Amino acid sequence: MSEADATQQEYPVLRGLPVDMCIFTVATESRKTPQDNIDKRTLKSYPDKHLELLLVKRISDTEGDKWALPGGFTKIETETIDAAAIRELKEETNLDASVTQLRAKPVGDGIYLEQMKAYYKPGRDDRGPTPTVAYVALVHEALLANLHAGGDAGQARLFRVPENSAHPFVCHTENGTTTVDWSELAFDHAEIISDALKFVQNQILTTTIAADLLPKEFTIAELHQVISAVVPSYGQMTTNFARDLLKTKTRNSMLKEALDEHGELKKSSQYSARPAQLYRFNEEYEPWLSIYPRP
Amino acid sequence: MSEADATQQEYPVLRGLPVDMCIFTVATESRKTPQDNIDKRTLKSYPDKHLELLLVKRISDTEGDKWALPGGFTKIETETIDAAAIRELKEETNLDASVTQLRAKPVGDGIYLEQMKAYYKPGRDDRGPTPTVAYVALVHEALLANLHAGGDAGQARLFRVPENSAHPFVCHTENGTTTVDWSELAFDHAEIISDALKFVQNQILTTTIAADLLPKEFTIAELHQVISAVVPSYGQMTTNFARDLLKTKTRNSMLKEALDEHGELKKSSQYSARPAQLYRFNEEYEPWLSIYPRP
DNA sequence: TTAATAGTGTCTTTAAGACATTATTAA
DNA sequence: TTAATAATGTCTTAAAGACACTATTAA
């Protein structure tokens, strides 16, 4: 301790680095029920999917009881920053999955986690502990069934992410609806969330992290639905979307047809009358992305 | 100070955030001279271009006199982290240009600067001040003519970046040649530089930051040369490269033909017998990048 | 003239897009 | 049967790639 103090003259020393977690999921709307007075055949229609973000309600501190991103501090002298992010992800989501490393590349087991950006502004009083390193996680909704609030937070809830900043974050529960406007978020979390949203939108379009939001085997329509949930401006599913995805030379190694134990094509009737072909991501696929012509 | 100490119990407080700068440039080999005993016509051939990185030699500290990335600390209570990066960029390069903001998007005036990643590992003794936030800059070589070492560093030099980690960084001067192996770099700077290299390679292929390494108006061959300098595996310049760049629908707004005051096409004979058409980047161009079919 | 680089013509293959048609299933 | 979604066929246009050819200049 005295050694650290002595060092402070030469260069400032950090005593534990804050981490903020942007934990997103793509939630599936509950299926239509017969009570909805709809032709029973409509029951097979795809449930809607939309993007949700985990927020926690702070218990009285400098930022009052505002909703905020979950977060914490690295355990100085024992943790890397990535390890702290993994620990926070587990704590905040009550995940029992064995997350032991960053998942910047999708592994298809439901968790993507990557560092996004470091934030720092002078004047701690304005926005709480500075700096902070923001991490972005995309987690399969099935893994978020047992949320609990960790650390210094009151409640943890998944909020639907609005398509533009004129609309609030919304959370429906049996006890009613909670809405949180962008301006009501603690610290500079509105800025961080805005950056994180652009980040996941870019990532889902340029990498195969959609794999972490889908079952191991999925239909093209389900894949399209996940993309559209994260990027609302993405177009409608068309018959050509599927064909372009499968037949073009630069993409034809991206998905593989799912086969059953007899080597037969596996199909799913979960959401459609006519069974749809199931696919899985090919882990060997490496996207080529460039604005310049391929050399 | 005592107020800060009191706060430490609740959450650790940072007392100035370190910043490491990965300052790259694309250097132009000195032109062939007649003494090289080459047919004079060869003089017009393009000079080679290659990627260079600014390193500084530390003066005796915990890391001895190793070569390292230039860096510094945010001025706590007055600077944002971005402001510190801008200040360090100016100090280390002796730039007199009025850099007042991050240039994540190219502005074509010779400077691209963007935050890459935050690093943190426990155990300060192993690698000096932790954490650190690494910034990546790509600067036009003309702006790096007046290098001087800033702060606690001895010398500042531009080193040629090797194409793989089996080879060292090399710097030629009148006084001889300096080579620095990856393993000889201070702290964990080899890891940071490795990440930064992938980062700039990805950025130059997916954004228009090449504009910052070129004159306002340039030929297609010069553009290709810059890309190849940063991404050595990029292919040879072909006649189809130019045509694909200019004629395809998704890219045809990327470059605009340069016109003189009479509205005539501007051409350059600087590097070729037959004059080549000059182009400039279209600032309105927004690349579309996705592994999925365009909606 | 020749060397060197810039740029065009033309043909082939592949990808993208429009849109009609057929297929498969549950109720 | 009908509704709903999956998948194919076919035709058109655009992009990519191969490669021979022409153009412009300096020395």
Side-chain angles (χ1 to χ4, degrees):
Chain A
M1 196 51 90
S2 59
E3 182 262 341
D5 286 341
T7 322
Q8 270 175 210
Q9 271 76 54
E10 292 192 305
Y11 44 78
V13 174
L14 177 88
R15 309 192 61 74
L17 190 57
V19 175
D20 281 326
M21 304 296 297
C22 300
I23 302 172
F24 291 96
T25 192
V26 168
T28 304
E29 206 103 317
S30 58
R31 298 280 292 279
K32 294 186 183 72
T33 60
Q35 294 94 297
D36 290 346
N37 201 20
I38 282 172
D39 185 315
K40 273 188 183 169
R41 280 166 289 196
T42 316
L43 278 173
K44 274 237 164 164
S45 65
Y46 279 95
D48 281 339
K49 291 190 171 170
H50 61 266
L51 188 65
E52 293 189 338
L53 173 67
L54 184 65
L55 295 177
V56 297
K57 189 155 190 174
R58 300 184 72 88
I59 37 188
S60 64
D61 69 352
T62 55
E63 284 287 308
D65 58 354
K66 290 182 176 174
W67 289 90
L69 293 172
F73 293 89
T74 55
K75 288 180 178 157
I76 194 143
E77 306 298 339
T78 63
E79 266 185 342
T80 65
I81 185 171
D82 288 354
I86 291 167
R87 177 175 52 75
E88 290 293 334
L89 177 63
K90 286 180 168 181
E91 286 178 12
E92 299 292 347
T93 61
N94 210 14
L95 266 184
D96 57 355
S98 53
V99 188
T100 56
Q101 52 176 15
L102 277 207
R103 314 296 184 89
K105 292 194 110 184
V107 285
D109 62 358
I111 297 164
Y112 159 84
L113 177 61
E114 192 172 12
Q115 186 190 308
M116 178 181 68
K117 193 176 167 187
Y119 291 83
Y120 181 86
K121 286 185 197 132
R124 243 186 48 242
D125 300 18
D126 296 330
R127 57 170 293 273
T130 64
T132 188
V133 179
Y135 277 75
V136 167
L138 260 178
V139 181
H140 194 290
E141 60 176 328
L143 300 175
L144 295 179
N146 303 108
L147 286 182
H148 78 164
D152 57 348
Q155 321 164 52
R157 294 263 195 80
L158 287 169
F159 285 78
R160 184 174 183 139
V161 176
E163 295 192 15
N164 72 66
S165 56
H167 298 124
F169 294 82
V170 179
C171 172
H172 292 289
T173 66
E174 317 81 60
N175 306 322
T177 300
T178 310
T179 65
V180 179
D181 202 77
W182 288 80
S183 62
E184 294 168 342
L185 292 161
F187 309 118
D188 57 353
H189 287 185
E191 179 190 354
I192 296 176
I193 293 168
S194 174
D195 290 348
L197 190 53
K198 287 177 208 148
F199 186 86
V200 289
Q201 290 176 338
N202 181 63
Q203 290 296 97
I204 204 152
L205 289 179
T206 59
T207 75
T208 55
I209 60 169
D212 282 312
L213 299 171
L214 288 165
K216 273 266 184 287
E217 300 177 345
F218 50 86
T219 65
I220 303 291
E222 285 176 293
L223 171 58
H224 183 274
Q225 225 185 0
V226 164
I227 299 167
S228 290
V230 179
V231 187
S233 63
Y234 207 83
Q236 287 301 113
M237 169 71 184
T238 67
T239 174
N240 281 331
F241 176 86
R243 190 154 34 182
D244 290 349
L245 200 46
L246 299 166
K247 298 283 179 289
T248 61
K249 207 164 71 173
T250 56
R251 279 192 286 254
N252 64 1
S253 61
M254 185 168 145
L255 299 180
K256 294 185 295 194
E257 288 157 338
L259 303 175
D260 65 18
E261 58 274 21
H262 308 301
E264 300 290 308
L265 295 174
K266 279 179 82 175
K267 294 177 186 271
S268 161
S269 302
Q270 191 175 9
Y271 298 121
S272 58
R274 174 172 174 176
Q277 178 62 48
L278 289 169
Y279 294 88
R280 43 173 69 225
F281 275 97
N282 174 7
E283 286 169 34
E284 272 79 53
Y285 171 71
E286 280 286 347
W288 162 267
L289 289 166
S290 171
I291 61 173
Y292 299 109
R294 196 180 263 267
Chain B
M1 194 54 90
S2 58
E3 181 265 340
D5 286 340
T7 322
Q8 271 175 212
Q9 270 76 53
E10 292 193 306
Y11 46 77
V13 173
L14 176 89
R15 308 193 60 73
L17 189 58
V19 175
D20 280 326
M21 304 296 298
C22 299
I23 302 171
F24 291 96
T25 191
V26 168
T28 304
E29 205 101 319
S30 58
R31 296 281 290 282
K32 294 186 183 71
T33 59
Q35 294 94 295
D36 290 344
N37 201 21
I38 282 171
D39 184 316
K40 273 188 181 167
R41 279 167 290 193
T42 316
L43 277 172
K44 274 237 163 162
S45 66
Y46 279 96
D48 282 339
K49 291 191 173 176
H50 61 266
L51 189 65
E52 293 187 338
L53 173 66
L54 184 66
L55 295 176
V56 297
K57 188 156 192 174
R58 299 184 72 89
I59 36 187
S60 65
D61 68 353
T62 56
E63 285 285 308
D65 59 353
K66 290 181 175 175
W67 289 91
L69 292 172
F73 293 88
T74 55
K75 288 181 178 154
I76 194 143
E77 307 297 340
T78 62
E79 267 186 339
T80 65
I81 186 172
D82 287 354
I86 291 167
R87 177 175 51 75
E88 290 294 333
L89 177 63
K90 286 180 168 181
E91 286 179 12
E92 299 292 345
T93 60
N94 211 12
L95 267 183
D96 57 355
S98 53
V99 188
T100 56
Q101 53 176 15
L102 278 207
R103 311 298 182 89
K105 292 194 110 184
V107 286
D109 61 358
I111 296 164
Y112 159 84
L113 177 61
E114 193 172 10
Q115 187 191 306
M116 178 182 66
K117 192 175 167 187
Y119 292 82
Y120 180 86
K121 286 185 198 133
R124 245 187 43 243
D125 300 18
D126 295 329
R127 57 170 294 274
T130 63
T132 187
V133 180
Y135 277 76
V136 167
L138 261 177
V139 181
H140 193 289
E141 60 177 328
L143 300 175
L144 295 179
N146 303 107
L147 287 182
H148 77 163
D152 56 348
Q155 319 165 52
R157 293 262 197 82
L158 287 168
F159 285 77
R160 184 173 183 143
V161 177
E163 295 191 13
N164 71 69
S165 56
H167 297 125
F169 295 82
V170 179
C171 172
H172 292 289
T173 65
E174 318 82 60
N175 305 322
T177 300
T178 310
T179 65
V180 179
D181 201 77
W182 288 80
S183 62
E184 294 168 343
L185 292 161
F187 310 118
D188 57 352
H189 287 185
E191 178 190 354
I192 296 176
I193 292 168
S194 174
D195 290 348
L197 190 52
K198 288 176 206 147
F199 186 87
V200 287
Q201 290 175 338
N202 181 64
Q203 291 294 98
I204 204 150
L205 289 180
T206 58
T207 75
T208 55
I209 60 169
D212 282 312
L213 299 171
L214 288 165
K216 274 266 185 289
E217 301 177 347
F218 50 85
T219 65
I220 303 292
E222 284 177 293
L223 171 57
H224 182 274
Q225 225 185 0
V226 164
I227 299 167
S228 290
V230 179
V231 187
S233 63
Y234 206 85
Q236 288 300 112
M237 169 71 184
T238 67
T239 174
N240 281 333
F241 175 87
R243 190 154 33 183
D244 290 349
L245 200 46
L246 299 166
K247 297 285 180 287
T248 61
K249 209 163 70 172
T250 56
R251 280 194 284 256
N252 64 3
S253 60
M254 186 169 144
L255 300 180
K256 295 184 293 194
E257 287 156 338
L259 303 176
D260 65 17
E261 58 275 18
H262 308 301
E264 301 290 308
L265 296 174
K266 279 177 84 174
K267 296 178 184 270
S268 160
S269 303
Q270 191 174 8
Y271 299 120
S272 58
R274 173 169 173 178
Q277 178 61 48
L278 289 169
Y279 294 88
R280 42 173 70 225
F281 275 97
N282 174 6
E283 285 167 36
E284 271 80 53
Y285 170 72
E286 280 287 346
W288 162 265
L289 289 166
S290 172
I291 61 173
Y292 299 109
R294 195 179 264 267

